[in-house]
Amino acid sequence: MKILFSFFTVVFLVLLVFAGATTGNKYVLFLFGVIIPYAAFATFLLGFIYRVVQWGRSPVPFRIPTTCGQQQSFPWIKQNKIENPSTTMGVIVRMALEVFLFRSLFRNLKTELRDGPKLSYGSDKWLWLAGLAFHWSFLIILIRHYRFFIGEVPSVIHLIESLDSFLQVGVPLVYITDAVILAAVTFLFLRRVYIPQVNYISLAADYFPLFLILGIAISGVLMRYFIKVHIVGVKELAMGLISLNFMAPAKNLQEIGVIFYIHLFLISVLFAYFPFSKLMHMGGVFLSPTRNLSNNSRMVRHINPWNYPVHVHTYEEYEEDFRDKMKAAGLPVEKE
Amino acid sequence: MATKLPKPDELAKIDFTPPETGWMDTPVEIKPGMFCWGAKAKNLRAVEFPNARDWSPAEEDWKLPGEWEGTVLEAMADRLSKYRSFKLFMDICVRCGACADKCHFFIGSGDPKNMPVLRAELMRSVYRKYFTTPGKVLGKLAGARELTYDVLKEWWYYFYQCTECRRCSVFCPYGIDTAEITMMGREFTNLLGLNTDWIAGPVANCYMKGNHLGLEPHTIKSSIEFFLDDIETVTGIKIEPTFNRKGAEILFVTPSGDLFADPGTYTAMGYLMLFHELGLDYTWSTYASEGGNFGYFTSNEMAKRLNSKIYAEAKRLGVKWIIGGECGHMWRVLNQYMDTWNGPADFLEVPKSPITGTVFENAKSTKMVHITEFTADLIKNGKLKLDPSRNDHLKVTYHDSCNTARGMGLLEEPRYVIKSVCNNFYEMPENTIREQTFCCGSGTGLNASENMDLRMKGGFPRANAVKYVRDKHGVNMLANICAIDRATLKASMEYWVPDVTVCGTHELVANALVMKGEKERTQDLRLETLPGKEGN
Ligand code: SF4
Ligand code: SF4
């Protein structure tokens, strides 16, 4: 149900833009080619900032890192400076490992109950591998697309492109990342369907972005390898968009080709959807208090901005309650 | 309830297949053996908690106050604005499921709502409904649902089936700590008077009498005197500790559980013997006679109220610094909360061992040192005369408490101490110790007797790892540094791995400690004859 709903939502989006783009009407094309992308990007940018600011407005009252290694104690006990950092430098390294290499996911285990009863914890790196493959290929593809937005393609982009099509001859070069992202997203989808527990926790909001990204990748692949589009028109449009020159791209809109509009529209939807969704984990991971704080709260006092005085049971009240018993037991008292 | 507890091989038949119906459409079933009795009115009144009344989770009617939904939602809005962790963790979970099979309660019960991610979704779904646009507009489709009586019951049931152990948080790619969500869940239920009596009772005791067990000052003294007699029997040495003594250099605070029941009592004897041997200028307090903090299992405010006694007493007595005994959640609180709540402790001095001269730099602000840090330093500097062969009949393994492992990182100090006093030490499998350690199954105030099913299920992964080293190496002693562990692991070992005994680390230390002027030891602290000394 959740799967079908998400799937058909994406199908509907494709049909919508397909219907629009095939009309060839220049106003409709202007809508899909210029207005929607702008609106989507603006939503993404403002929404993303808004969400991060909202998180930032809630303070971090306590220093609660999840310590995953030995604390700092004596010089003769080796501290794990990354998994249990006591300095900012340590935190930076810990966060870098988390953000770039998905350190915590790398720990993943599969717990199994065998006869005996015996529990075993096998290493299970598939989720980590697929997650890493997905995110990195997405990033590289994004960077590759920069070539459309700039007149003179910078050499870094060329370098990335040649690395991405490493060891190949022939035209067009097949980008490794194109294959990887399709495989990774498919894997992430299948595990959601077939692992009973993961299936049980999944919401429509988990399937929708997967289908959307799959749609984007497929349309992109189709466009690059199978259905030719008017590449000059695409580049004009892209450069017009980025230089905020609204009218420039309008000339060749009709020539570009429907598949391009599908690709662009799905990307626009993804961008617009981003700030309202779990995809915000991209920003959130940086703010996670169990990872981005050093474990130094016994060395430096952490301040809670809303710390307030509380009602306590004082020693005087306690002695009041027990003075006679204390005296009888020979315990010292303040007031005789 | 305990009588109905199934046999271990029955309990170990765990069904991991999720129900046919989606989790939102599967109403909570409050099962006997899985929950603790409701908090009694008198215990909530003692600490001025709202909506105090006698109630029973087993009954249909929980006698909720009117307008309870408003109370919860208002509190939720408030906590969202006060805790970035809460707000962020409501928003960024991608439901990847990496945390799912990391929770001991899920592993032991197979109940999908015990997967950390789903436990959190129980709250997230309500958050979405009232605090996010997609949730308001799309409702169930966006994973949102209304806060109903049933949902509240479900919250209560599952937030009191989480021991805030943070194992899930180790594996989550964003560090989402379900314990943070459980804490909020418990704050909300406490606003409605929905606590358990196993937590509310100790909280009331601790507030009024200084410790969870409600030991009054003279009883604390007499309990300890009772230990002194046993120590004299074993060592021939008469120890005279002091209580509430002004001008002592060090205040010693430990969980009251160690004064009350075996095997914690042997750990307490261990402290007494160690400090006596060193000639340490220290004092016990009857007012700050609790290191643990059951308030932490109710609300942030209550935790702070209970914790305040430690600094207040240190100040009143004019000590220079504080040593804290063996306890798990106590040390999470001391490490991550105490200074923030009740500091700065500028009336104390940076802790410096009077025996070795070592300055405890890592505690220079809170001024509170963990007993295994203190002892490890003594041993490293050769200040203790030890005869580890006295522990030769023991094959020891070590259980990391969740809190000292994942909320502090105290991993090597206790190991160093144990290995210095025992010749036979074996680690449990790597995925069950250190930062990946498994909860005893009964933390956060779940160590009652009416919820034995839950406790044994949650204790299964830990016990299973102990069984592994028992079978492989013949391990017969499970050492730890936690008063709750000493009580709960004892029960879980008796159930799952009956031939393994439980002890505190300082019991082992005291058994190995060669004291000045002691008689030849023929018994250990349990008054059991040492092997080879039968003839004496
Ligand atoms: S590991 Fe983290 S992101 Fe994944 S389901 Fe669990 S809480 Fe959510
Ligand atoms: S904190 Fe521990 S008990 Fe709670 S959900 Fe996470 S793993 Fe389970």
Side-chain angles (χ1 to χ4, degrees), chain B residues 102-105 114 116 119 161-168 177-179 182:
Chain B
K102 308 304 181 285
C103 175
H104 50 284
F105 284 121
N114 269 326
R119 195 188 311 285
Q161 281 187 37
C162 165
T163 45
E164 302 178 4
C165 77
R166 311 181 100 203
R167 192 170 191 266
C168 46
D177 182 5
T178 310
T182 296

Short mmCIF file of all heavy atoms in Angstrom, two decimals, chain B residues 102-105 114 116 119 161-168 177-179 182, ligand 2:
data_model
loop_
_atom_site.label_atom_id
_atom_site.label_comp_id
_atom_site.label_asym_id
_atom_site.label_seq_id
_atom_site.Cartn_x
_atom_site.Cartn_y
_atom_site.Cartn_z
N LYS B 102 19.65 -4.25 17.65
CA LYS B 102 20.71 -3.95 18.59
C LYS B 102 20.18 -3.84 20.02
O LYS B 102 20.94 -3.78 20.97
CB LYS B 102 21.42 -2.63 18.21
CG LYS B 102 21.89 -2.57 16.77
CD LYS B 102 22.80 -3.73 16.40
CE LYS B 102 23.30 -3.66 14.97
NZ LYS B 102 22.29 -4.03 13.96
N CYS B 103 18.87 -3.80 20.17
CA CYS B 103 18.27 -3.61 21.49
C CYS B 103 18.04 -4.97 22.15
O CYS B 103 17.44 -5.86 21.55
CB CYS B 103 16.95 -2.87 21.35
SG CYS B 103 16.06 -2.70 22.90
N HIS B 104 18.50 -5.09 23.38
CA HIS B 104 18.34 -6.36 24.10
C HIS B 104 16.88 -6.73 24.29
O HIS B 104 16.54 -7.90 24.35
CB HIS B 104 19.05 -6.30 25.45
CG HIS B 104 18.70 -5.08 26.24
ND1 HIS B 104 19.20 -3.84 25.94
CD2 HIS B 104 17.87 -4.90 27.28
CE1 HIS B 104 18.70 -2.96 26.79
NE2 HIS B 104 17.89 -3.56 27.61
N PHE B 105 16.00 -5.73 24.38
CA PHE B 105 14.59 -6.07 24.55
C PHE B 105 13.98 -6.61 23.27
O PHE B 105 13.11 -7.47 23.30
CB PHE B 105 13.79 -4.86 25.07
CG PHE B 105 14.02 -4.61 26.53
CD1 PHE B 105 14.53 -3.41 26.98
CD2 PHE B 105 13.73 -5.60 27.46
CE1 PHE B 105 14.76 -3.19 28.33
CE2 PHE B 105 13.95 -5.38 28.82
CZ PHE B 105 14.46 -4.18 29.26
N ASN B 114 9.76 -3.09 20.25
CA ASN B 114 10.98 -2.97 21.03
C ASN B 114 12.20 -2.70 20.16
O ASN B 114 13.31 -2.60 20.67
CB ASN B 114 11.22 -4.21 21.88
CG ASN B 114 10.59 -4.07 23.26
OD1 ASN B 114 10.56 -2.97 23.81
ND2 ASN B 114 10.08 -5.14 23.80
N PRO B 116 14.47 -0.16 18.61
CA PRO B 116 14.62 1.25 18.98
C PRO B 116 13.90 2.18 18.01
O PRO B 116 13.22 3.12 18.42
CB PRO B 116 16.13 1.45 18.93
CG PRO B 116 16.69 0.10 19.24
CD PRO B 116 15.73 -0.90 18.66
N ARG B 119 10.22 2.05 18.73
CA ARG B 119 9.96 2.68 20.02
C ARG B 119 9.91 4.21 19.83
O ARG B 119 9.02 4.88 20.31
CB ARG B 119 11.06 2.32 21.02
CG ARG B 119 10.71 2.63 22.47
CD ARG B 119 11.90 2.44 23.42
NE ARG B 119 12.62 1.19 23.27
CZ ARG B 119 12.19 0.00 23.69
NH1 ARG B 119 11.04 -0.10 24.31
NH2 ARG B 119 12.91 -1.08 23.50
N GLN B 161 9.90 -0.17 28.87
CA GLN B 161 10.59 -1.39 28.41
C GLN B 161 11.86 -0.99 27.69
O GLN B 161 12.33 -1.69 26.80
CB GLN B 161 9.71 -2.20 27.46
CG GLN B 161 8.67 -3.02 28.17
CD GLN B 161 7.91 -3.94 27.23
OE1 GLN B 161 8.45 -4.49 26.30
NE2 GLN B 161 6.64 -4.11 27.51
N CYS B 162 12.38 0.15 28.05
CA CYS B 162 13.65 0.62 27.48
C CYS B 162 14.50 0.98 28.67
O CYS B 162 14.04 1.68 29.56
CB CYS B 162 13.41 1.85 26.60
SG CYS B 162 14.91 2.79 26.20
N THR B 163 15.74 0.50 28.69
CA THR B 163 16.58 0.78 29.85
C THR B 163 17.52 1.95 29.60
O THR B 163 18.49 2.14 30.32
CB THR B 163 17.38 -0.46 30.27
OG1 THR B 163 17.93 -1.05 29.10
CG2 THR B 163 16.50 -1.47 30.97
N GLU B 164 17.24 2.73 28.56
CA GLU B 164 18.05 3.91 28.26
C GLU B 164 19.53 3.54 28.19
O GLU B 164 20.39 4.27 28.67
CB GLU B 164 17.80 5.01 29.32
CG GLU B 164 16.34 5.41 29.39
CD GLU B 164 16.02 6.46 30.47
OE1 GLU B 164 16.96 6.93 31.14
OE2 GLU B 164 14.83 6.78 30.63
N CYS B 165 19.78 2.37 27.58
CA CYS B 165 21.15 1.83 27.61
C CYS B 165 22.01 2.43 26.51
O CYS B 165 23.22 2.31 26.54
CB CYS B 165 21.11 0.33 27.44
SG CYS B 165 20.83 -0.18 25.72
N ARG B 166 21.41 3.02 25.49
CA ARG B 166 22.11 3.71 24.39
C ARG B 166 22.85 2.78 23.43
O ARG B 166 23.69 3.24 22.66
CB ARG B 166 23.11 4.75 24.93
CG ARG B 166 22.55 5.67 25.96
CD ARG B 166 23.59 6.65 26.41
NE ARG B 166 23.40 7.93 25.76
CZ ARG B 166 24.36 8.83 25.62
NH1 ARG B 166 25.59 8.58 26.02
NH2 ARG B 166 24.13 9.98 25.03
N ARG B 167 22.58 1.51 23.48
CA ARG B 167 23.28 0.64 22.53
C ARG B 167 22.84 0.98 21.11
O ARG B 167 23.65 0.97 20.18
CB ARG B 167 23.02 -0.83 22.84
CG ARG B 167 23.95 -1.78 22.07
CD ARG B 167 23.85 -3.22 22.58
NE ARG B 167 24.90 -4.05 22.03
CZ ARG B 167 24.78 -4.80 20.93
NH1 ARG B 167 23.63 -4.83 20.28
NH2 ARG B 167 25.78 -5.53 20.49
N CYS B 168 21.57 1.31 20.95
CA CYS B 168 21.08 1.68 19.63
C CYS B 168 21.85 2.87 19.07
O CYS B 168 22.13 2.94 17.88
CB CYS B 168 19.59 1.99 19.69
SG CYS B 168 19.09 3.04 21.06
N ASP B 177 19.69 8.65 19.68
CA ASP B 177 19.74 7.94 20.96
C ASP B 177 18.30 7.77 21.45
O ASP B 177 17.68 8.72 21.92
CB ASP B 177 20.56 8.78 21.93
CG ASP B 177 20.71 8.10 23.27
OD1 ASP B 177 20.26 6.95 23.40
OD2 ASP B 177 21.28 8.73 24.19
N THR B 178 17.80 6.57 21.32
CA THR B 178 16.42 6.32 21.72
C THR B 178 16.23 6.59 23.21
O THR B 178 15.13 6.91 23.65
CB THR B 178 16.00 4.89 21.35
OG1 THR B 178 16.34 4.67 19.98
CG2 THR B 178 14.52 4.67 21.53
N ALA B 179 17.31 6.49 23.97
CA ALA B 179 17.21 6.81 25.39
C ALA B 179 16.70 8.24 25.60
O ALA B 179 15.91 8.50 26.52
CB ALA B 179 18.57 6.64 26.07
N THR B 182 13.01 8.02 25.16
CA THR B 182 12.42 7.36 26.33
C THR B 182 12.35 8.33 27.52
O THR B 182 11.35 8.39 28.22
CB THR B 182 13.24 6.12 26.70
OG1 THR B 182 13.15 5.19 25.63
CG2 THR B 182 12.73 5.48 27.96
S1 SF4 C 2 18.33 2.71 24.70
FE1 SF4 C 2 18.74 0.51 24.91
S2 SF4 C 2 16.80 -0.30 25.69
FE2 SF4 C 2 16.35 1.70 24.83
S3 SF4 C 2 15.79 1.32 22.72
FE3 SF4 C 2 17.99 1.74 22.70
S4 SF4 C 2 18.93 -0.27 22.83
FE4 SF4 C 2 16.78 -0.54 23.46
#
